[in-house]
Amino acid sequence: MKKQSKITVLLRMIKLVRPLTGFMILAVFLGTMGFLTAEFITILGGVAVTKALGGNIPLSLKTIFILLPVFAILRAIFRLSEQRTNHYIAFTLLAIIRDKVFRALRKLCPAKLEGRDKGDLISLITSDVELLEVFYAHTISPICIAIVTELLMCIFIGSFHPLLGVVALISYLCVGVLLPVIISKRSGTMGDELRAMSGELSAHMLENIRNIDDTMQYAYGEVRLKEIGEKTEELSRKQGLLSKLTGTNMALANTMILISDIVMLAVCALLYQSGRIDFTGFLIPLIALMSSFGPVTALAALGTTLQSTVASGARVLAVIDEIPVTEDITGKEKSEFSGVEVKNVTFGYETYETKMNAGYDHDKEILKDVSLNVNSNRIIGIVGKSGCGKSTLLKLLMRFWKVKEGEISISGKSIEEINTDNLREMESYMTQETQLFKDTIGNNVRIGKLDATDEEVVEACKRASIHDFIMTLPKGYETEVGELGSTLSGGERQRIGLARAFLHDAPFILLDEPTSNLDSLNEAVVLKSLKESAKEKTVLLVSHRQSTMRIADEVITMDGGRFS
Ligand SMILES: Nc1ncnc2c1ncn2[C@@H]1O[C@H](COP(=O)(O)OP(=O)(O)O)[C@@H](O)[C@H]1O
Ligand SMILES: [Mg+2]
């Protein structure tokens, strides 16, 4: 991820609002009117007083007393509509940003999710995107509202005497610009740290709940309990610091406002004495200034959140910008499956470290000059020690990653020249870890072929030797996996994965350790089905189990990224 300056990030985030410019203008208008009506309630009070004291006011007392409640009602209406509009803007934008992030992730996957930064990605999708709501609903428009409102107030106050307008302008700048900068400097990354710490505490708690068995077995409880205690204490200490800081920030803001009021009073008094303003001109600007700090004090609070919002924005934009490991291919001619050729393929994962250290690292190569021919209607077995690169080879055949050197071709065509949809149709890939969705068992199998009939699903399950098990469940194929998720054994999950692969019914079947968790009885059933499939299909079978290799027409041994 390349580093972007804070200003660039802010500008890009603001650019995202463009489709909602109309609503944005509406929000600023409503917000400005809301503040102005509120301020003019106080100012009208002052006007009434000057009138009563015989000041030169063009309004009658009656009009003033009618205007007061009207302004109060308008104030409430404006305020409510402004908040509605801002939240509409924020949530519409969040939807747009989420959509962008998911689109980007879809392009980046699965390579991106395989990387070691899975945890970061999840926090990005949830908390970072969420934090941007603050930016759109409570940052952009308050700034615009403050600028418009206070400019109008400067003009109003300045209409009594230009010098008073200048005093007002300086006061607003101090509270609305200088103060947020000071506060932002003072609080620094405290908000971020606090959020990270509370996230860590909940992750720690979840881990404790999940690992309760091991914790009890090894009497690890005391240690974990102590850790919780320490984390909680540290969190409350930080929280205390932050609220103290917020307190002093408030005091600072109030002091600045007070000083501004005193300066205004002094300047008004001087101008009044020298006869440059009358009594009305003395009282009204003073009241106007005193009652008009609302929009700028709203900005003071931004100082504490702006840093973390920009950081979140930068992370989200970085994902949107990231270049995928493999792009989807479209627009090529459709091809039928007729054998696979792997020619002198060399590959190493591009990790965060290799990217930082000037790119590709030959010492970290996982596959070294691997060649392999898989002809139709045969079962090829690959055996090899754990970590030698068997799963990696399958992922390359799926084009989840790109080879560094050499070429993989299917039906005589490089897989870089085959439409991604076409490739997925031709391949049934069963991963080492079958993941289940929170849905019925039937639907979990149906992922292999979304329009499959019930009969087809049952047939696939029979071949994967899982049908009998499913029939023992209370609701058969309609049983929710969510309820069983953790109670399904590794072997049961594995057979569901196999059923998916059988149902997908592609000419080329890639199986990554399909039998590692099966007992010999289930293994026998599964192998028999596979052997039958291979009459019209091509199977690439990865396993470290010799018994599984029994059905292979040819067995290749892999060692340290090479075939031997
Ligand atoms: N996404 C990844 N990023 C970086 N290294 C990886 C990634 N996936 C696997 N590896 C590494 O590549 C090597 C080969 O892994 P793999 O192909 O899964 O081996 P096998 O399936 O033969 O056990 C291992 O050292 C593993 O740690
Ligand atoms: Mg593996």
Side-chain angles (χ1 to χ4, degrees):
M1 291 185 196
K2 68 172 190 285
K3 202 127 175 70
Q4 317 184 55
S5 83
K6 275 185 194 166
I7 303 293
T8 331
V9 171
L10 275 178
L11 286 180
R12 286 190 61 194
M13 281 163 71
I14 290 170
K15 257 195 204 155
L16 288 174
V17 194
R18 203 180 285 154
L20 295 168
T21 312
F23 284 98
M24 203 68 211
I25 293 172
L26 181 67
V28 173
F29 170 76
L30 291 169
T32 307
M33 292 307 288
F35 275 121
L36 286 180
T37 39
E39 287 162 13
F40 271 86
I41 291 173
T42 324
I43 295 171
L44 274 178
V47 169
V49 172
T50 23
K51 176 100 186 164
L53 292 175
N56 162 32
I57 303 285
L59 297 174
S60 75
L61 270 179
K62 202 175 144 206
T63 326
I64 293 173
F65 282 111
I66 293 173
L67 277 179
L68 276 174
V70 170
F71 272 35
I73 293 166
L74 280 179
R75 151 84 180 150
I77 295 173
F78 282 132
R79 187 93 185 114
L80 191 69
S81 335
E82 182 224 333
Q83 284 188 346
R84 283 275 172 101
T85 318
N86 268 331
H87 282 109
Y88 172 79
I89 293 172
F91 287 110
T92 315
L93 270 168
L94 285 192
I96 295 176
I97 294 172
R98 281 207 183 92
D99 186 57
K100 274 184 197 274
V101 169
F102 284 133
R103 254 174 231 271
L105 281 179
R106 209 182 100 85
K107 272 199 295 175
L108 293 172
C109 280
K112 178 79 187 173
L113 266 189
E114 263 207 4
R116 319 266 180 222
D117 45 4
K118 202 186 288 194
D120 289 353
L121 265 186
I122 290 167
S123 86
L124 182 132
I125 295 169
T126 51
S127 51
D128 278 341
V129 173
E130 231 53 345
L131 249 186
L132 293 186
E133 195 260 337
V134 177
F135 178 72
Y136 290 111
H138 308 290
T139 307
I140 303 186
S141 80
I143 292 178
C144 299
I145 291 170
I147 293 174
V148 178
T149 313
E150 306 304 28
L151 271 181
L152 290 175
M153 287 312 284
C154 284
I155 293 169
F156 175 73
I157 294 174
S159 71
F160 291 90
H161 192 283
L163 189 59
L164 298 179
V166 174
V167 172
L169 183 66
I170 294 171
S171 308
Y172 295 142
L173 286 177
C174 282
V175 180
V177 180
L178 190 63
L179 191 63
V181 171
I182 295 175
I183 290 179
S184 156
K185 286 250 155 65
R186 274 166 51 99
S187 54
T189 52
M190 193 107 101
D192 276 340
E193 281 165 33
L194 199 68
R195 205 167 301 111
M197 274 171 63
S198 86
E200 208 179 292
L201 183 64
S202 38
H204 190 268
M205 281 310 284
L206 275 177
E207 198 177 76
N208 284 336
I209 294 167
R210 217 176 300 123
N211 299 353
I212 191 98
D213 294 353
D214 291 287
T215 308
M216 285 165 74
Q217 148 90 69
Y218 298 113
Y220 193 35
E222 284 297 319
V223 179
R224 297 295 287 191
L225 208 58
K226 204 166 141 244
E227 282 172 11
I228 296 179
E230 282 164 4
K231 279 182 202 291
T232 317
E233 233 164 70
E234 179 66 17
L235 191 66
S236 1
R237 201 181 60 82
K238 269 261 153 68
Q239 237 149 10
L241 278 180
L242 196 67
S243 30
K244 228 190 247 165
L245 199 69
T246 318
T248 44
N249 284 345
M250 285 296 288
L252 206 61
N254 287 333
T255 314
M256 265 196 192
I257 292 174
L258 202 63
I259 292 173
S260 303
D261 291 341
I262 292 170
V263 171
M264 189 61 141
L265 181 66
V267 177
C268 281
L270 280 177
L271 289 175
Y272 181 65
Q273 260 182 355
S274 60
R276 275 180 242 179
I277 47 174
D278 57 6
F279 184 63
T280 317
F282 172 86
L283 195 62
I284 303 298
L286 193 58
I287 293 177
L289 185 79
M290 285 173 144
S291 64
S292 64
F293 281 101
V296 272
T297 32
L299 299 189
L302 293 183
T304 46
T305 54
L306 200 59
Q307 295 222 3
S308 43
T309 325
V310 173
S312 293
R315 280 192 291 268
V316 169
L317 290 172
V319 164
I320 293 176
D321 290 344
E322 198 162 332
I323 299 158
V325 174
T326 56
E327 305 257 9
D328 273 9
I329 298 171
T330 52
K332 308 278 182 205
E333 214 171 289
K334 200 173 148 82
S335 53
E336 295 298 327
F337 182 80
S338 65
V340 182
E341 191 186 6
V342 176
K343 213 160 90 188
N344 308 110
V345 163
T346 295
F347 175 79
Y349 285 101
E350 221 166 83
T351 56
Y352 185 71
E353 294 92 55
T354 56
K355 251 191 242 171
M356 291 297 120
N357 301 334
Y360 189 59
D361 182 355
H362 280 279
D363 295 337
K364 299 239 169 75
E365 275 168 7
I366 307 288
L367 298 180
K368 301 176 189 104
D369 198 18
V370 168
S371 296
L372 170 74
N373 260 317
V374 191
N375 295 326
S376 284
N377 309 342
R378 275 169 71 84
I379 301 181
I380 307 289
I382 298 181
V383 288
K385 281 198 212 97
S386 160
C388 72
K390 304 180 299 293
S391 301
T392 304
L393 179 65
L394 296 193
K395 282 182 236 164
L396 289 179
L397 283 163
M398 290 297 289
R399 204 175 154 269
F400 287 168
W401 298 84
K402 268 191 185 141
V403 301
K404 300 292 171 209
E405 284 162 35
E407 191 175 60
I408 296 178
S409 20
I410 290 181
S411 319
K413 248 195 327 193
S414 160
I415 55 169
E416 297 296 326
E417 296 296 318
I418 297 175
N419 286 341
T420 306
D421 287 349
N422 194 187
L423 190 71
R424 303 264 193 276
E425 266 164 33
M426 290 195 282
E427 298 177 323
S428 270
Y429 170 51
M430 179 189 165
T431 58
Q432 210 165 341
E433 274 284 314
T434 297
Q435 300 299 339
L436 299 178
F437 293 87
K438 204 173 167 307
D439 201 340
T440 63
I441 265 206
N443 284 342
N444 261 292
V445 174
R446 211 183 293 269
I447 285 162
K449 183 181 170 193
L450 292 177
D451 57 354
T453 61
D454 289 348
E455 289 71 35
E456 285 176 306
V457 172
V458 170
E459 172 62 25
C461 289
K462 279 186 179 155
R463 288 171 60 199
S465 188
I466 185 78
H467 174 75
D468 292 340
F469 167 75
I470 294 175
M471 292 320 279
T472 66
L473 295 173
K475 290 188 214 145
Y477 280 86
E478 295 302 311
T479 312
E480 287 282 335
V481 168
E483 299 153 18
L484 305 167
S486 49
T487 55
L488 281 181
S489 76
E492 284 149 7
R493 283 163 176 268
Q494 209 159 31
R495 282 175 286 153
I496 292 174
L498 262 171
R500 272 183 198 161
F502 282 136
L503 190 63
H504 188 54
D505 201 30
F508 184 30
I509 304 177
L510 302 100
L511 303 170
D512 198 349
E513 307 273 9
T515 56
S516 56
N517 291 318
L518 302 189
D519 54 44
S520 44
L521 207 68
N522 281 315
E523 185 190 20
V525 179
V526 166
L527 291 181
K528 189 165 157 278
S529 309
L530 268 178
K531 189 82 192 164
E532 270 164 24
S533 311
K535 279 179 195 151
E536 54 210 46
K537 294 192 192 306
T538 310
V539 181
L540 191 61
L541 182 61
V542 166
S543 177
H544 64 271
R545 232 163 121 161
Q546 283 303 334
S547 55
T548 301
M549 286 302 150
R550 203 168 67 212
I551 59 161
D553 298 306
E554 187 185 337
V555 177
I556 301 171
T557 309
M558 207 172 182
D559 189 9
R562 284 177 210 278
F563 287 151
S564 47

